[in-house]
Amino acid sequence: MINAKEQFKIIMKGVSQVINKEDLMEKLEKSITTNTPLVVKLGLDPTAPDIHLGHSVVLRKIKQMQDLGHRAVIIIGDFTGKIGDPTGKSKARKPLTDEQILENARTYEHQVFKILDRDKTELKFNSEWLSKLNFQDVIKLASKVTVARMLERDDFENRYKNNQSIGLHEFFYPLMQAYDSVELEADIEMGGTDQTFNILMGRTLQKDYGKDSQVALFMPLLEGTDGIEKMSKSLKNYIGICEDAVTIFQKTMTVPDNLIIKYFELATDIHPDEVHKIKLELENPKINPRDVKMRLAREITTLYCGKSEAEIAEEHFKTVFQKNLIPDDIDEFILSLDCCVKDDQIDLTKIMTKSGIAKSTSEARRLIIQNAVKIDGKKFSDFLMPNPHISFVIQVGKAKFFKVKIEN
Amino acid sequence: MINAKEQFKIIMKGVSQVINKEDLMEKLEKSITTNTPLVVKLGLDPTAPDIHLGHSVVLRKIKQMQDLGHRAVIIIGDFTGKIGDPTGKSKARKPLTDEQILENARTYEHQVFKILDRDKTELKFNSEWLSKLNFQDVIKLASKVTVARMLERDDFENRYKNNQSIGLHEFFYPLMQAYDSVELEADIEMGGTDQTFNILMGRTLQKDYGKDSQVALFMPLLEGTDGIEKMSKSLKNYIGICEDAVTIFQKTMTVPDNLIIKYFELATDIHPDEVHKIKLELENPKINPRDVKMRLAREITTLYCGKSEAEIAEEHFKTVFQKNLIPDDIDEFILSLDCCVKDDQIDLTKIMTKSGIAKSTSEARRLIIQNAVKIDGKKFSDFLMPNPHISFVIQVGKAKFFKVKIEN
């Protein structure tokens, strides 16, 4: 088993805050002495089932701890989902139905195991124990916390001050999450920095119930490919972990240079010493950041699509973008498969008109006939393309590039 | 059945507030039309089992409604008692044990039926339904109310503003009490004015659960025999409903004249028209208020001890106090039986020394031998008195009077 100090170093990579370091070190040492893996807890709210690199940050950290021998418990907050996490929200959420929760949970499960080690992971639904609590148990739970403490939470405080209503039931979200930690006897709870209040409540509540307090491990939020906003599907600055290798590779290559190290820290499992070396490389003026980013793209693509897919994606990228001098920050059009399919093949003229590359079908046909159109850097003079051909760059003339993505 | 208007008049006697009159009138009319008695609810917190006239105010009002044909449901808040009603308290109460609750409830039951009509009363423990609620039911319940609404309650608001902690569980007291009304489909809930928040919450909650809203009927607080403070055992200004006839009669005679009408309204079942007549009598300068108070004392004593006991008590009072010109506002000493018993009889010398009437046993003996001691107006020259002799006036010389009460 790797010694506690080395484990500590690996766990601390990229972490934004830990409460507290002494407890973490102590837990690691005890784990080694007693040969007992630590229980690493992550609670997931079954509301946003499309996992992207932003969500992967905590999951990758858990995977790193699994590689060190520890055990993960993923809580699907099916019971909690019935309330809706009010974290950071200015209004009470609509509760989910049982069907929605179950469907989201299945999608989650599928995606989570693209990152975590299945053999070292338990997946649990918190309804297992929360649904068994009766009124008296709930009263006991509620008695452990004061109203003032609840109103200290930023979002509650703001809503209270601004006369926006807070349903009394919303106070139970942090309590339920905290009670999960009591039930699991969690050693470490993972979360984003927006989870500080809830995770620290778990720490307190475990003590109130006579258990050892968990270590709270907070990961920073990851900016999306635009380098500015938090990665999010709605902002279209995301890299989805279920996307194809070519897309993951290409999207990673659009990440701004100043985020390369942060991505290495948060989106890969590369050892902190190695990340440190990469940082030094980047500071070397002789090194082209693009080459370092190629390594980042390869690392991330390999994590989700495997080594050979990643190599193909890299080759494709080199062919399309580098050999043909295609810039990598070109506009992307996302089209639905329905609107561009013809006789089971993809109709290029439809793509060109739908995306605005050509003003009309006749103009699109003319451009194709004139050999003015390249697909992924190669001249293309047919109107139909084999299907599926889901992500490619279309070039018209010498200077016009558009990325096209076709979705089902 | 008595018509709605007349019922309304009887119910409204002495009431401090009703929310609202229209609803009450409507319920009374519907009750007559459908020949269905109204369900009158009273929640009792099983913490203070010695019922005195102060507590009797709401019970008497319920008795009056029973006499009009309605049905009472008394809720012993055994489940609620596990939290402790925070009403008017500046600190969270200690929860009661199951044993304490059961014992208090038994005492309550015994006393309550000294006032209520047993045939028209159901006695229920709210654990019957509250203990069956699971976490999800509790969440549903909590979702019906906002944190801001809870913090509007005076005592919560004050504690919050003064940084005194409010346990989250305390918010459930009003919710439980309100849920009791949902469960019972109460038509009227009775309470003191300090119960306004809780009872009105019941009114709202019934609506949220798709039931008819109850009428809230608030009774004023009754001042004790000192005429100043709220009647309370600890302030020794109380008239207990389980006290003996002589004591009830005598104590009632110490009520200040300005409270005679209030006592008639709140502590007797006399018809409002009759109370009105008494009021006019009192305004007549030819009438001695003491005679009106005699009637009050007789009424109250009859309610709790029966007619013949009340007559004996009145006779006793007249003999002791009126014929012997004993003032009725004399000091009272309460002594425990243990400290004044001798050979199964009561040792008068001990009473005289314990109460400070005599400085020493020898002085007490001397006074008794000198025929200077009267008991209830009669000369007494023995050292021992028959036991039990629980309440009497001892007179030493011509001007010194002391009331003595011996308790087990």
Side-chain angles (χ1 to χ4, degrees), chain A residues 133-175:
Chain A
L133 296 190
N134 62 27
F135 205 165
Q136 211 170 336
D137 300 325
V138 175
I139 290 300
K140 183 182 169 192
L141 182 59
S143 74
K144 305 292 185 192
V145 65
T146 66
V147 174
R149 173 92 182 86
M150 280 292 177
L151 284 173
E152 277 168 18
R153 205 171 89 154
D154 290 347
D155 43 6
F156 287 144
E157 191 183 15
N158 290 336
R159 283 163 65 188
Y160 185 65
K161 280 188 183 159
N162 296 323
N163 293 320
Q164 290 174 312
S165 79
I166 305 166
L168 181 52
H169 64 299
E170 294 185 69
F171 275 5
F172 280 92
Y173 187 91
L175 274 179

Side-chain angles (χ1 to χ4, degrees), chain A residues 235-250:
Chain A
L235 293 174
K236 293 195 176 158
N237 64 354
Y238 72 102
I239 303 173
I241 68 165
C242 292
E243 295 195 273
D244 62 281
V246 167
T247 307
I248 292 178
F249 199 99
Q250 281 180 14

Side-chain angles (χ1 to χ4, degrees), chain A residues 323-352:
Chain A
K323 293 193 184 146
N324 293 285
L325 304 171
I326 299 175
D328 52 15
D329 58 350
I330 55 179
D331 286 344
E332 185 179 58
F333 295 104
I334 296 172
L335 299 172
S336 82
L337 187 60
D338 294 345
C339 77
C340 38
V341 87
K342 188 179 177 178
D343 301 335
D344 234 23
Q345 286 199 294
I346 287 174
D347 185 340
L348 190 55
T349 64
K350 282 196 180 164
I351 286 176
M352 289 173 74

Side-chain angles (χ1 to χ4, degrees), chain A residues 92 159 165-172, chain B residues 138-153 156 168 171-176 178 197 200-202 204-205 208-209:
Chain A
R159 283 163 65 188
S165 79
I166 305 166
L168 181 52
H169 64 299
E170 294 185 69
F171 275 5
F172 280 92
Chain B
V138 176
I139 290 300
K140 184 183 168 192
L141 183 59
S143 74
K144 306 290 186 193
V145 65
T146 67
V147 173
R149 173 92 181 85
M150 280 292 176
L151 284 173
E152 277 167 18
R153 205 171 89 154
F156 287 145
L168 181 52
F171 275 5
F172 280 92
Y173 187 91
L175 275 178
M176 286 175 174
F197 184 93
L200 291 183
M201 180 149 289
T204 319
L205 205 65
D208 283 333
Y209 278 81

